[in-house]
Amino acid sequence: MGISFPPPCTRLRERIVYDDRDTARSLPLMPIVAVDHLSKIYPVAVKEPGLRGTLNHFFRRQYRSIRAVESISFDIAAGEIVGFLGPNGAGKTTTLKMLSGLIYPSSGTVRVAGQIPFDRKTAFLKSMSLVMGQKQQLLWDLPALDSLRINAAVYELSDIEFKQRVGELSEMLALQDQLRQPIRKLSLGERMKAELLAALLHHPKVLFLDEPTLGLDVNAQAAVRDFLRTYNQRYQATILLTSHYMADIAALCQRVLLIYQGRLIYDGSLDGLVERFSPYREVQVELATPVPEAKLRQFAEIESCDRCRVRFLVQRPELTQVVGQILAQLPVSDLSVTEPPLEEVIARLFTTGTVA
Amino acid sequence: MNKIWRGWWTLLVVYYAHMVEYRAELLFWILSGSLPIILMGAWVEAAQGDRFSLDAIQFARYFISVFIVRQFTLVWVVWEFEKEVVQGKLSLRLLQPLDPGWHHFISHISERFARLPLVVVLLALFFALYPQAWWLPSFEQAALGGLAIALAFLLRFLFQYTTAMLSFWTERASAIEEMFFLFYLFLSGFIAPLDVFPPVVSQIASWTPFPYMLYFPAALLIGLPVDWGRGLAVIGLWALLLGIVNRWAWRRGLRQYSGMGA
């Protein structure tokens, strides 16, 4: 099935930002992250299965190019929290690695905090941080405080700054009691908090987060989200965040970037994303008596059907007409119309082929 | 400058704490480095017939010196670095404004302090069992030997860290290190002191970095005649060459690095 892309995003040198009261205002903003036609192509070794494939792989190794990121462009203003969405392998992590100077772009330009990331100048490294949910920088067998002391030495913090920042951040993260325990003795949530503390000890202006809540329970996810929101407000830090949990995105980000097969296909508000990619509503119907599915299908696409409980997916332009028909022709005891959950919108987006 | 020293001191203290977490592993690792003691037995026996320029006691002292030098010059950076590159863990180091090489270097230094007490105990045990081999280096021997051990460690570290840079391209730089280790075994004086090699072989060896990683400090500790000035010059030249290659490979390698798995 072909993928149809929406019109390419225009670069937003002057974009709409939303304040806390959700009112829109237009401001000319200097981007702290500026990405222009950024691409990354990887060579990947290809191996056929079996002995013959193995011998070929040994003597005549063949490579193919993977276009991980293709000519993406966007700007992020200082203080923004932006969600970076996309299915696995879409190019999110590769983009974050290029933004944080870990890998060299194949083409295009990036500037973060006025610096070219891959130059890895001290001023740049001190102004940003990247937190990877599945990777840890803290020494496994030692208490977090020891690893934090290393970070303080690396970022040349004085003893006073160190104590003050550890105190402040550990209070925000509710982590004071765990700092003296070996990392291996901490729960996953506590470890993630400790990782965040280590990544933010030098008060970075720009924070890249790759799945910071991966594997955490609901409470720990909420705690990390609250912390990120507070950190953003207190230090006017800019945050670019990838997450598979839409609750993270919905709670923190008013703006999202959507990447699919290496290409940026959406840059705008979260509400706009739903409007654009989910032109349907969910109609939940409670029937007085069961009705054959074949008959129900005549009204709209059926999401689920459990005897008397039916969930229809209805295109928005047809909503009024379809609801009218259902009420007129079916034994309805209850009916409600809702927007589908964000998770479902995104999941449909990436699986139905209607990036779809 | 004060900030830099304070930073290094912090790294040293924390990595020391990290190393002493593995006390049992450390003891087994030290014991696994006892090959010089075994070789000593063979060479002491072989020296009974006056066929070599060293007598049995000199052989015994030489190999115990080799054991001591090895304890202070062991390097494993190629395995650590290779793992960091292949698993993408290097990314976490690259995010910080400190060259990742310093983390490896300082953790090696701190490990020396962690193993020191265990090495002293083992040496005491050895001399208690074999008191004929006991000797006390003169102040000059100890000072020059100590300096040579420090330089030997630097050279060994630089050599292996430069080999480790190949991880960016081959992902199995440790295999190349294993090949170099063969040259190290033979030319460093690990298997036998260079004094028993044919003159041509020891002349060729003296221009390679390997004798300065082991034979040179061991010979200084027990008072064998060595050309101190030439030794320093060769160490300096190799260190300079390795330093240049290392930095060049680092810059090229980073462009190659794709942060796999990170």
Side-chain angles (χ1 to χ4, degrees), chain B residues 54-80:
Chain B
L54 305 181
D55 61 28
I57 291 297
Q58 280 178 312
F59 268 115
R61 287 175 183 167
Y62 174 78
F63 279 106
I64 201 69
S65 290
V66 164
F67 173 76
I68 294 168
V69 175
R70 282 276 296 159
Q71 295 305 318
F72 290 100
T73 57
L74 269 178
V75 173
W76 58 89
V77 66
V78 70
W79 286 274
E80 292 281 323

Side-chain angles (χ1 to χ4, degrees), chain A residues 97 104 120 135-136 141 151, chain B residues 22 92 94 96 255 259 261:
Chain A
K97 284 182 197 167
Y104 196 77
R120 300 186 59 251
K135 286 273 180 285
Q136 64 164 57
D141 295 305
N151 280 22
Chain B
Y22 308 103
L92 296 166
L94 287 173
Q96 298 188 334
R255 285 189 170 237

Side-chain angles (χ1 to χ4, degrees), chain B residues 29-44 59-71 73-74 123 126 130 181 184-185 188-193 214 218:
Chain B
W29 206 12
I30 292 168
L31 290 175
S32 74
S34 306
L35 184 60
I37 313 288
I38 297 162
L39 289 168
M40 177 178 66
W43 279 101
V44 165
F59 268 115
R61 287 175 183 167
Y62 174 78
F63 279 106
I64 201 69
S65 290
V66 164
F67 173 76
I68 294 168
V69 175
R70 282 276 296 159
Q71 295 305 318
T73 57
L74 269 178
L123 285 175
F126 171 80
Y130 193 15
F181 189 70
Y184 171 81
L185 268 184
S188 69
F190 190 98
I191 304 284
L214 203 54

Side-chain angles (χ1 to χ4, degrees), chain A residues 44-60:
Chain A
V44 175
V46 185
K47 180 189 168 298
E48 295 297 323
L51 180 63
R52 189 173 172 174
T54 303
L55 292 173
N56 270 336
H57 190 64
F58 186 80
F59 290 108
R60 269 188 314 143

Side-chain angles (χ1 to χ4, degrees), chain A residues 2 70 170 194 224 227 229 238 285 289 291 315 318 338 340 346 354:
Chain A
E70 279 197 83
S170 60
V224 168
F227 169 75
R229 193 184 297 110
T238 307
V285 179
T289 54
V291 175
Q315 297 289 320
E318 300 161 9
T338 56
I346 300 295
T354 48

Side-chain angles (χ1 to χ4, degrees), chain A residues 42 93 97 102-104 118 120 125 130 132 135-137 141-142 146 149-151 153 155-157 159, chain B residues 3 6-7 10-11 14 17-18 21-22 87 91-92 94-98 254-255 257-259 261-262:
Chain A
Y42 287 108
T93 304
K97 284 182 197 167
L102 291 180
I103 56 173
Y104 196 77
F118 197 76
R120 300 186 59 251
L125 295 171
L130 167 67
M132 292 175 275
K135 286 273 180 285
Q136 64 164 57
Q137 62 162 302
D141 295 305
L142 294 182
D146 278 328
R149 287 177 63 207
I150 287 189
N151 280 22
Y155 289 101
E156 297 178 337
L157 303 182
D159 284 344
Chain B
K3 265 188 174 178
R6 215 165 51 85
T10 306
L11 258 67
V14 175
H18 193 223
E21 283 289 315
Y22 308 103
Q87 297 181 0
S91 301
L92 296 166
L94 287 173
L95 294 170
Q96 298 188 334
L98 178 73
L254 278 186
R255 285 189 170 237
Y257 178 62
S258 54

